[in-house]
Structure formats: structure tokens, C-alpha cells
Amino acid sequence: MTTTASSRTAREIASQPDTWLRAEESLDRHAPALPRRGERVAVVGCGTSWFMALAYAALREAGGHGETDAFAASEFPHGRRYDRVLAITRSGTTTEVLDLLERLGGNTPSGALTADPATPVMAAADAVAVLDFADEESVVQTRFATTVLALLRAHLEAEDALPAGVRPLDRAIADAREAVTRELDATVCAAEQFTFLGTGWRYGLALEAGLKMREAAGAWTEAYPAMEYRHGPISITGPGRVAWVFGPPPEGLGEDVARVGGSLVAGSGDGPGGLDPLADLILAQRLAVRIAEARGYDPDRPRNLTRSVVLGPRPE
């Protein structure tokens, strides 16, 4: 079965190839908010934004653009020196991100990526890239997060700092167009448990896939670096359970999953014949919507979640 735009979330998922293209086309306008070559950078966010920060940090450092760390905004190490802090916040109102930017107080240059120009982050950061064309009505983030990573990949590509083996963004966009219509495997759709795996920058995508499944469908999901899977997590694998690898699986992993009766989703990677891992994330997003609807949940109204986490009154 192919994706139907039955929900707002499904429609936003299907729009991602177009928003990635717009990000690529708008790079020059947004570049002032992005890290400079050679800077020591910390990238921060909360939830999905933190996972995109992890993916970008791995890409940037592997590509030789500069030393890069990623933190949940609440865990930023204030005693550590950085040349720039880059914050990712869809809403522009997330308490932990705003508190961090205010605490930096102009002592460390800061940039932000947001979807809403009418929010406090516009004043809290030194430079802001507004990706309003990727904003969402949905509580569950899909296209804003991936569009942010598409913009950051385009920036690395423009600066000749895309790591070896990572596809140029135009290839990723082509793969995304395939991903929004590709058939979802019936065995995967019927599974009861999912473990998402990745190496390098793809580990951030694995974390995000797991979060999407929990948010939209209340599914039992876990995520690990791919080589950690055999150090304990494989113990829960069995019939009706899936190990989903972003990028090529480690040698022998497929055999180990099959030995304990699990199902492996792999082969969509940076190499020939597979989807770009960011496009592979679209498949996981679509799966989350499919499972939510099969369980009678409304993916547009996930349980216990709001669009932004704002903690109490902000100080004057």
C-alpha cells in the first residue's frame, strides 16, 4: 500500500522532497546563521531537534568543516569554550533553548534555525535562519526537522565539506520522491517492536525514527549505534520484531537477526541501489502514521504531547 494523505501529518511527510529543494535554493539567504569553516561549534536542540543536531555534528566533523558537538539544550556544558552555538527550534519558544541562548549573553556567537519568525528566538540569537516554508501544523515533527538537516547538508556540500560517501542533496531529494510512494513492507507494518540502528550521522536518524514511532503510534521502539546492537539489545529480538538499520548493516548483523527469528530492514544506505538515509527516515515516518491509524490513533493528535514545551513563566 502507498501513503495516502489522510491526515495532516501524512500530507506534511509527503511534502518533504519539495521543502528540501526549497532549503537548497535558499542556502545563500540562510548562510549567515550557519557555522563558518574551522569554528568549534556546539549544536543544540530538544527532542527531534537534538537528534538532527547529532546527525549534523557527525556530518560536519567527518567532512572536515570543524570540530562539532551536539547536546540536548538542557545539558549544554557551560564551562566549555565554543566559537559558535547553533540552536535548532521549530517553534522558537522552547524554554531550554531560549534559556541557553540568553545565558550565552552575547559572549559566544549564536545562530538559530526556526520555522516561526514571530517568536522569542528571533531576539535571543545573533542570527536566525527562518524556514517558514517547512513549518508544520502537526504536533509531531517531520518535515521541519529533515529540512533543517537538508539545509545543513547543502551548506557542507557548498563548502566542499560533505563527507565521502554521503550523497549530494539533489540525489537525496530524488530518493525522497521515491520514499513518499514506495510500498511499505507488510511484515514490517505488522511488527510489534522496532529497534532502529545507525552508524555515524545515521545514528541521529535512528534515534529520530524511534521517537516518531513512539510519538505517533505509541509503539515499542528503541535505538542504538549499530555496533551496540549485539551488546544487549539483540536480546529482545524475535518473531514479530524488527531491526531497522539506517545505512549498510555491520557485517554479520543480518545473520544474527535471522538466527533469533527477527526481521531485518537494511540495504537503504549511502551506496548504490539504496535510498539516502534521510529519505529512508521518510519511510519510518510513514510507518509511524500507518501503525497509528491501524491502532485507532489520530497521528495529528498524539497523546500527552504539545507542539512546544514551555516551562512556566519566562523571567522579564
Side-chain angles (χ1 to χ4, degrees):
M1 292 184 292
T2 57
T3 293
T4 60
S6 56
S7 66
R8 180 186 303 116
T9 304
R11 291 192 294 273
E12 290 171 349
I13 289 170
S15 72
Q16 288 173 103
D18 294 332
T19 61
W20 297 4
L21 179 59
R22 290 189 66 177
E24 183 178 40
E25 293 172 343
S26 65
L27 175 60
D28 289 345
R29 184 169 75 253
H30 294 132
L34 305 182
R36 282 60 163 165
R37 180 182 287 276
E39 288 183 331
R40 187 169 189 247
V41 171
V43 194
V44 300
C46 298
T48 289
S49 295
W50 173 34
F51 299 151
M52 295 301 102
L54 286 167
Y56 170 60
L59 280 169
R60 182 174 185 262
E61 191 158 314
H65 201 256
E67 185 177 354
T68 317
D69 294 324
F71 303 100
S74 60
E75 297 298 318
F76 181 78
H78 286 278
R80 194 175 298 177
R81 185 192 65 79
Y82 289 99
D83 299 316
R84 185 175 305 273
V85 171
L86 178 66
I88 304 172
T89 169
R90 176 181 66 168
S91 69
T93 62
T94 304
T95 296
E96 298 98 308
V97 172
L98 295 177
D99 285 350
L100 168 57
L101 292 172
E102 290 174 6
R103 184 169 173 181
L104 293 175
N107 295 318
T108 301
S110 61
L113 296 160
T114 191
D116 189 345
T119 56
V121 76
M122 300 299 293
D126 298 326
V128 182
V130 179
L131 281 63
D132 50 358
F133 56 86
D135 201 0
E136 297 153 323
E137 295 180 33
S138 297
V139 172
V140 174
Q141 273 202 65
T142 55
R143 73 180 179 191
F144 175 73
T146 62
T147 301
V148 162
L149 192 53
L151 176 72
L152 293 168
R153 281 178 62 171
H155 184 240
L156 293 177
E157 186 178 344
E159 303 233 325
D160 196 26
L162 202 62
V166 178
R167 296 178 178 183
L169 190 59
D170 61 347
R171 290 278 308 282
I173 293 169
D175 287 350
R177 296 197 187 283
E178 179 181 345
V180 298
T181 59
R182 178 181 283 192
E183 296 282 340
L184 296 177
D185 184 89
T187 300
V188 174
C189 291
E192 65 170 356
Q193 189 276 335
F194 303 85
T195 301
F196 294 98
L197 307 169
T199 58
W201 72 282
R202 297 174 292 250
Y203 173 50
L205 304 185
L207 289 166
E208 172 58 8
L211 181 62
K212 287 291 88 68
M213 296 284 285
R214 288 190 293 274
E215 288 179 330
W220 174 16
T221 64
E222 301 183 10
Y224 301 94
M227 290 300 291
E228 287 297 306
Y229 179 66
R230 287 174 283 206
H231 292 273
I234 193 172
S235 64
I236 63 168
T237 303
R241 298 178 180 180
V242 168
W244 182 314
V245 186
F246 286 88
E251 184 177 356
L253 185 69
E255 291 83 351
D256 288 339
V257 172
R259 177 176 50 81
V260 295
S263 299
L264 182 73
V265 176
S268 295
D270 295 328
L275 294 179
D276 183 275
L278 193 57
D280 202 15
L281 180 59
I282 292 176
L283 296 180
Q285 294 170 343
R286 290 178 52 211
L287 178 64
V289 171
R290 177 74 57 82
I291 292 176
E293 292 175 342
R295 294 180 176 182
Y297 299 153
D298 183 350
D300 292 342
R301 296 176 177 82
R303 298 175 299 171
N304 308 324
L305 296 178
T306 58
R307 191 173 186 276
S308 173
V309 176
V310 179
L311 305 174
R314 294 195 51 75
E316 297 297 332

